[in-house]
Amino acid sequence: MGKVSSVYSMCGMCAVRCPIRVEVEDGVVRWIEGNPHEPGLRGSICAKGSAGVAFEYDSERPQYPMIRDGERGSGTWKKATWDEALDYIAEKLKDVIKKYGSKAIALSDRSGPFTDLTTSFLKALGSPNYFNHDDTCAKNVDMACRSLFGFKGRGDFSYDFTNTKHIILYARNVFESLQVKEVNNILDALDKGAKLTYMDCRATVTASKADRFFMIRPGTTYAINLALINVILKERLYDIDFVNRMTTGLTELESFVAPYTPEWAEKESGIPAQEIINLARDVSNDKPKVIFHPGWMLSRHTNSFYDSRAIYILNVLMGNIETKGGLIVAKGPADAGRKPLNSLGAKIPDVKDKIVDAEMKDKPFGTGHVVNLYKAIKTGEPYSIKAYFAYRYDPIASLPDPEAQKKVLNNLDLLVSIDVNYSQTGWYSDVILPESTYLERSNIIGTVKGSKPSFVMRRQAIAPRFDSKPAWEIFTLIAEKMGASQYFPYKSIEDIWNYQLEGTGVKIEDFNARGSVSLAKDPIFKDRNELKFKTPSGKIEFVSQELTKSGFESFKQYEAPLKPEKGKFRLIFGRSAVHTHAQSQNNIYLNEIMPENVLWINEKEAKDLGINDGDIVEVSSDGFSGTIKAKVTPYIHPEAVFMVHGFGNEIPLKTRSYKKGLSDNKFQIGLLEKTDPVGGGVAFNECFVSIKKG
Ligand SMILES: Nc1nc2c(c(=O)[nH]1)N[C@H]1C(S)=C(S)[C@@H](COP(=O)(O)OP(=O)(O)OC[C@H]3O[C@@H](n4cnc5c(=O)[nH]c(N)nc54)[C@H](O)[C@@H]3O)O[C@H]1N2
Ligand SMILES: Nc1nc2c(c(=O)[nH]1)N[C@H]1C(S)=C(S)[C@@H](COP(=O)(O)OP(=O)(O)OC[C@H]3O[C@@H](n4cnc5c(=O)[nH]c(N)nc54)[C@H](O)[C@@H]3O)O[C@H]1N2
Ligand code: SF4
Ligand SMILES: [Mo]
C-alpha cells in the first residue's frame, strides 16, 4: 500500500455540497465518505457522491480550453492553451466594453456559498449583471419569504426536523430529491414518532414513508393551503399570542380566506374536505413543533408565489418561528458575535449602473431574474447585454425550450462556459474553459448560515488530471488580462484565504481538524417574541408593504389550473435519487443504475390510449416530439405524465448518455417567457403534451 492521506473537503456531485472526507493513496482518490465530524451526516453520502470517483477518472469531460471552430453549436472545436483562450475572451470583452460599456457583460452561476468570487469578478470589470439559477428553482419561495419576513430568501430559515412532531411536504420529495443531512434528520424524527404528510401528483419514495399521502391534482396545492388557513382561523387553532404580537394583516387574511372552505378545496384538488380538516386539527395539536416545508415544486406554476406565501403563513400561524422543532432563523457570523469574512469585492469601487432588470417594465418582484437577462439579450432593452459567462450553470439544459434559447443567445458577441463537463450550454459556447474538478481544486472559503454558523472550506485532494484550472485562478487571470489586476491581486488560494480570514480570529490551519470552523459553541436561539424582522414594520407582514409598494397584492384569489384536453396531459418532472439534473447521466456508475428516463402515465388513461407498461410511446408538444418507454402505473394523477429531468443529451463526446431518454425542457416550448408574474419563477409546469402509442 502506498502513502494514504485524508482530506476534508466538500462534495461537488450536486449543489448541496455535503462535507466529505476523501482518502487519497499515491495521488489517487480511493474512497469518499461523508465527513464523520458532521453530526447530521454521520459519515454518509448518497450514490451520486460515491460516484465522484467515477466522475474524476472519466475522460469524457473537457481536458483543455476549447475555442469554437465553426458555427455555434456545430461541435467543431480548436484546442487552445489557457493564454490563447483567455486572450480571445479578453479581446472580445474589450470590444464589447468599447461599444456597449462594461454593463453589457453578464455572468450567471449556480449561487451558493462561493458567489463572492463571481460577484467580485463582475464588480472588478464594472458590471452589475450577476444572476443565478433561482428563477428555475425556488425563486417564488424566496420572494414569498422576502414579502413576509423581509429576508433575502428561503435560506434565511433552517428547519429543525430532528425535534419536530409533524412535517408537511408539498411535492418536496425529500427521499429522492435529496440532501443527505436532511434525510438523516427526517428519518430520526420519524423514528421518534413524528408524523409525515406528503402531497404530490405521484406516489414517490417519500409517499411510501408518509403517514398521510394526498395524490393531488396538479397545480392545486394553493387550494389546500387556503382551506387549511380557513379552518385554522375559523376554529382558532393558531398560536393567538404569537400571531397578535408578531404579525400585521390578520384581519385582512381572515376575510380573504373566508370563502375558501375545505368543501371548495375538495372540488379543486380531489382531496376530501374531511381530510383537510383533520390535517388542520392534527397539526394544530402538535404546534409549534410542526414544519410546513415551502418546497420548490410549488415554484413552477403561475400561482406559486402566493402558494408559497400561504405555506409560510401556515408556519407563522403555528407559532413555529424560532422554536424547537420549527423554523429557525439562520444565523450568520455577526449573530455569533464574530466578524464575517472579508469580501473579495470590498475594496473594488461600487458599480454605478443598475442591474439590467431594475428598470424593466412588467417585471416581477425583486431583481436578478435570469429570465429577464434573456429578455435583455433578446431585445437590447433597457440596454444591451453582449457577453455572457455561464459558470457552473447550464441554462440551455435548465431553462425551458433550448431552441428558443439558442436564438436569443445568438445575439451575444461572446458566450463562455466554465464547466467540469461538456454541458449543453458549453456545446453552444464560443469558448469552453475547463474548471478543475471539486477533488482537484480548492475554493474560496464560504460561510454557511444556520443555528450554528460556520466557515467552510473545499480543499484540493489531488492534482488536476488534465489542463484545467480552479475558478479563482480563471477569474483572476481574466481580470488581469482586462487590466483589473489591482482588484484581483491573488497569486495563490492561500492569499485569498488569508485575506478573507483577516480579523476573523480564524486561521487556515483551523480547518485541518475537520474541514470547517464552527463560529458558535451552541445553537443560537433568540427569544421568538423579541424578533425584529427585516420588513418595513419589523413584523411578519401578512399584508406586505413592499408588495403594495411594488404594485402587487398580498393575497391572490385562487384561479383553477387549466385542465388538459382529452388525450393531453400536463407534463411534470422531477429528480431521481441517482442523478443530478442534466450533469450526471454520463457518469459510468450512475449511467449503469439509470441509463434513461421513462414516462409515468396513469393506468386508466393508458388503457384508453391502448398503451401497456413498457410500450414505446410518442410524446409531442407544439412541433416537438420524441419517443420514450411508458411506465403504466396507478400511482400518478390522471391529468399528469411525469419524466425525470436531465436526459436526452445531444453531445456526442458523452458517449454513454448520448441520445438516451428524453429532455423535458424540449417540450416546454414558449415557456422561456412564461413566469409567475410576482415571484418571477419559470412556470415549467404550464406544459401540455399529447401521448400516443409509438
Ligand atoms: N425542465 C426542467 N428544468 C429544470 C429542472 C427540471 O427538473 N426540469 N430543474 C430546475 C432546478 S430545481 C435547478 S436547481 C436547475 C439546475 O440547473 P443548473 O444549475 O444549470 O444545473 P446543475 O446540474 O446544478 O449544474 C450546472 C452545470 O454546472 C456544472 N458543474 C458541476 N460541478 C461543477 C464545478 O465544480 N465547476 C464548474 N465550473 N461547473 C460545474 C455541471 O457540469 C453543469 O453543466 O435546473 C432547473 N431546470
Ligand atoms: N438526487 C437528487 N437530489 C437533488 C437534486 C438532484 O438533481 N438530484 N437537486 C436538488 C435541487 S436543485 C432541488 S431544487 C431539489 C428539488 O426537490 P423537490 O422539489 O423535492 O424535487 P423534484 O423531484 O424536482 O419534484 C418533486 C415532486 O414534485 C411533483 N410535482 C410536479 N408538479 C406538481 C404539482 O403541480 N403539484 C404537486 N403537488 N406535485 C407536483 C413531482 O411529481 C415530483 O415528485 O432537489 C435537490 N436534490
Ligand atoms: S447530496 Fe449527494 S451528491 Fe449532493 S453533495 Fe451530498 S453527497 Fe454529494
Ligand atoms: Mo433546484
Side-chain angles (χ1 to χ4, degrees):
M1 209 163 121
K3 188 171 165 293
V4 178
S5 61
S6 178
V7 182
Y8 293 114
S9 189
M10 290 161 88
C11 181
M13 293 298 284
C14 87
V16 173
R17 304 178 179 91
C18 295
I20 49 172
R21 188 181 75 86
V22 184
E23 236 170 65
V24 179
E25 185 188 345
D26 290 334
V28 176
V29 175
R30 294 291 183 208
W31 177 251
I32 304 174
E33 63 180 10
N35 184 336
H37 297 294
E38 287 289 326
L41 217 53
R42 289 171 245 144
S44 41
I45 47 171
C46 77
K48 301 175 292 155
S50 303
V53 183
F55 163 64
E56 179 60 41
Y57 294 103
D58 194 350
S59 295
E60 294 194 354
R61 55 180 173 93
Q63 304 185 7
Y64 39 76
M66 295 156 77
I67 302 176
R68 175 163 68 88
D69 194 22
E71 292 285 290
R72 276 201 178 127
S74 61
T76 40
W77 298 95
K78 263 193 322 239
K79 177 177 177 177
T81 63
W82 278 92
D83 232 19
E84 284 163 355
L86 298 179
D87 279 339
Y88 178 94
I89 292 170
E91 210 170 292
K92 294 267 182 188
L93 288 178
K94 284 176 189 161
D95 264 3
V96 164
I97 294 174
K98 204 153 83 199
K99 287 196 206 137
Y100 307 97
S102 298
K103 63 187 179 186
I105 302 168
L107 179 150
S108 57
D109 68 17
R110 185 46 208 271
S111 66
F114 306 123
T115 49
D116 189 45
L117 178 66
T118 40
T119 50
S120 303
F121 166 73
L122 276 178
K123 199 173 177 196
L125 297 192
S127 170
N129 284 309
Y130 168 79
F131 297 82
N132 67 27
H133 78 293
D134 268 324
D135 274 359
T136 61
C137 185
K139 191 66 138 221
N140 296 322
V141 186
D142 287 335
M143 294 297 113
C145 184
R146 173 167 152 187
S147 74
L148 281 155
F149 305 97
F151 290 158
K152 216 169 136 212
R154 66 198 190 283
D156 282 318
F157 280 116
S158 57
Y159 310 104
D160 185 14
F161 286 117
T162 320
N163 296 303
T164 201
K165 288 187 177 167
H166 199 146
I167 302 163
I168 302 92
L169 300 173
Y170 299 81
R172 172 71 191 98
N173 184 9
V174 279
F175 295 120
E176 291 177 276
S177 312
L178 54 88
Q179 308 191 357
V180 177
K181 211 152 122 183
E182 187 176 82
V183 169
N184 285 343
N185 289 344
I186 293 178
L187 288 175
D188 282 352
L190 298 184
D191 279 347
K192 288 192 288 183
K195 279 166 271 177
L196 179 62
T197 295
Y198 180 65
M199 299 174 216
D200 197 312
C201 321
R202 177 180 80 94
T204 61
V205 171
T206 305
S208 73
K209 295 195 189 303
D211 300 273
R212 261 197 196 89
F213 168 53
F214 296 164
M215 194 152 88
I216 184 172
R217 190 180 160 224
T220 62
T221 42
Y222 189 37
I224 303 265
N225 287 325
L226 293 176
L228 285 170
I229 299 175
N230 172 302
V231 176
I232 288 167
L233 292 181
K234 204 157 65 196
E235 299 188 7
R236 295 180 71 77
L237 300 173
Y238 61 101
D239 184 331
I240 293 172
D241 184 52
F242 180 75
V243 169
N244 285 344
R245 191 195 297 260
M246 300 302 290
T247 70
T248 67
L250 180 64
T251 323
E252 289 88 338
L253 177 66
E254 259 167 341
S255 55
F256 169 67
V257 296
Y260 297 118
T261 61
E263 293 71 24
W264 164 84
E266 173 175 340
K267 288 198 201 98
E268 284 301 320
S269 64
I271 306 306
Q274 195 56 50
E275 291 277 358
I276 300 172
I277 297 169
N278 292 348
L279 176 60
R281 291 179 184 158
D282 208 11
V283 290
S284 302
N285 277 332
D286 288 333
K287 74 172 183 299
K289 295 192 172 187
V290 299
I291 296 171
F292 285 87
H293 192 294
W296 278 276
M297 251 304 156
L298 304 184
S299 254
R300 287 148 200 176
H301 292 270
T302 45
N303 63 0
S304 299
F305 171 81
Y306 290 101
D307 201 0
S308 308
R309 217 170 178 265
I311 298 180
Y312 279 115
I313 291 176
L314 282 163
N315 282 304
V316 174
L317 294 176
M318 294 296 106
N320 70 359
I321 307 297
E322 199 72 2
T323 57
K324 256 194 149 177
L327 268 56
I328 316 289
V329 179
K331 314 295 185 311
D335 297 296
R338 304 288 294 262
K339 184 179 168 298
L341 295 171
N342 283 318
S343 164
L344 304 183
K347 293 178 186 155
I348 306 175
D350 285 338
V351 176
K352 300 254 166 27
D353 294 306
K354 285 212 181 94
I355 190 164
V356 76
D357 60 351
E359 274 149 28
M360 273 185 186
K361 290 198 193 84
D362 299 326
K363 74 177 190 64
F365 197 40
T367 54
H369 295 278
V370 77
V371 291
N372 287 339
L373 172 65
Y374 267 73
K375 274 188 197 156
I377 298 173
K378 182 175 165 184
T379 62
E381 296 295 331
Y383 58 78
S384 294
I385 300 285
K386 288 290 178 183
Y388 178 25
F389 289 86
Y391 162 58
R392 210 224 160 285
Y393 183 46
D394 187 2
I396 293 185
S398 67
L399 279 163
D401 204 345
E403 294 311 311
Q405 286 193 62
K406 287 176 191 171
K407 286 196 191 122
V408 173
L409 296 175
N410 282 344
N411 290 325
L412 294 169
D413 294 345
L414 177 70
L415 175 59
V416 179
S417 159
I418 306 175
D419 208 300
V420 293
N421 289 300
Y422 297 113
S423 71
Q424 299 287 340
T425 309
W427 207 242
Y428 204 70
S429 298
D430 303 321
V431 186
I432 297 178
L433 299 177
E435 188 178 13
S436 306
T437 69
Y438 70 99
L439 294 163
E440 301 169 339
R441 69 165 192 261
S442 297
N443 279 51
I444 66 169
I445 297 171
T447 303
V448 172
K449 289 165 76 176
S451 54
K452 280 174 78 177
S454 58
F455 293 148
V456 293
M457 184 180 273
R458 172 178 278 149
R459 200 188 279 243
Q460 181 176 1
I462 54 167
R465 287 183 57 228
F466 302 121
D467 187 15
S468 62
K469 288 186 189 297
W472 71 262
E473 194 181 342
I474 298 175
F475 290 119
T476 303
L477 291 173
I478 300 175
E480 214 172 275
K481 294 213 183 265
M482 293 302 292
S485 57
Q486 74 273 32
Y487 301 134
F488 264 83
Y490 314 105
K491 296 285 170 249
S492 67
I493 190 68
E494 288 77 13
D495 276 358
I496 295 186
W497 288 345
N498 280 323
Y499 168 71
Q500 289 184 285
L501 290 172
E502 244 168 48
T504 62
V506 177
K507 290 194 283 311
I508 296 177
E509 308 81 83
D510 298 344
F511 291 86
N512 294 351
R514 46 189 301 164
S516 63
V517 175
S518 183
L519 301 177
K521 239 171 91 212
D522 301 304
I524 307 168
F525 270 97
K526 297 195 172 161
D527 180 341
R528 70 174 187 150
N529 294 320
E530 300 295 323
L531 289 175
K532 274 261 171 302
F533 293 93
K534 293 186 179 150
T535 50
S537 64
K539 300 210 171 190
I540 301 167
E541 295 187 353
F542 293 160
V543 174
S544 154
Q545 294 187 39
E546 230 199 323
L547 278 180
T548 311
K549 217 172 95 190
S550 311
F552 298 115
E553 45 196 353
S554 290
F555 306 120
K556 176 84 196 283
Q557 297 293 345
Y558 181 85
E559 275 172 37
L562 284 178
K563 222 182 166 72
E565 303 156 24
K566 188 71 197 153
K568 286 203 168 191
F569 300 84
R570 192 182 283 270
L571 175 64
I572 63 166
F573 55 78
R575 284 141 242 311
S576 139
V578 299
H579 280 296
T580 299
H581 302 291
Q583 63 166 282
S584 65
Q585 284 70 13
N586 201 51
N587 182 291
I588 194 161
Y589 290 171
L590 303 174
N591 183 273
E592 191 177 325
I593 304 173
M594 184 178 179
E596 60 188 9
N597 53 356
V598 295
L599 186 84
W600 289 44
I601 180 165
N602 180 275
E603 58 182 11
K604 289 202 187 74
E605 300 292 323
K607 200 166 164 220
D608 287 353
L609 294 168
I611 294 165
N612 294 310
D613 190 41
D615 281 354
I616 300 293
V617 294
E618 190 182 75
V619 187
S620 348
S621 92
D622 270 344
F624 179 77
S625 64
T627 54
I628 189 171
K629 210 180 272 173
K631 173 185 159 107
V632 174
T633 164
Y635 299 116
I636 183 164
H637 193 280
E639 274 185 27
V641 289
F642 168 88
M643 66 174 76
V644 170
H645 166 66
F647 286 82
N649 152 45
E650 288 184 340
I651 299 163
L653 297 186
K654 297 198 281 190
T655 60
R656 292 166 222 118
S657 59
Y658 186 53
K659 301 216 160 147
K660 295 274 171 62
L662 286 182
S663 153
D664 52 340
N665 302 63
K666 288 202 165 171
F667 295 97
Q668 295 158 345
I669 292 169
L671 297 189
L672 190 54
E673 302 202 349
K674 184 143 187 133
T675 51
D676 182 298
V678 188
V682 175
F684 285 109
N685 282 9
E686 299 303 323
C687 175
F688 296 91
V689 292
S690 317
I691 310 290
K692 62 176 190 210
K693 208 166 159 164

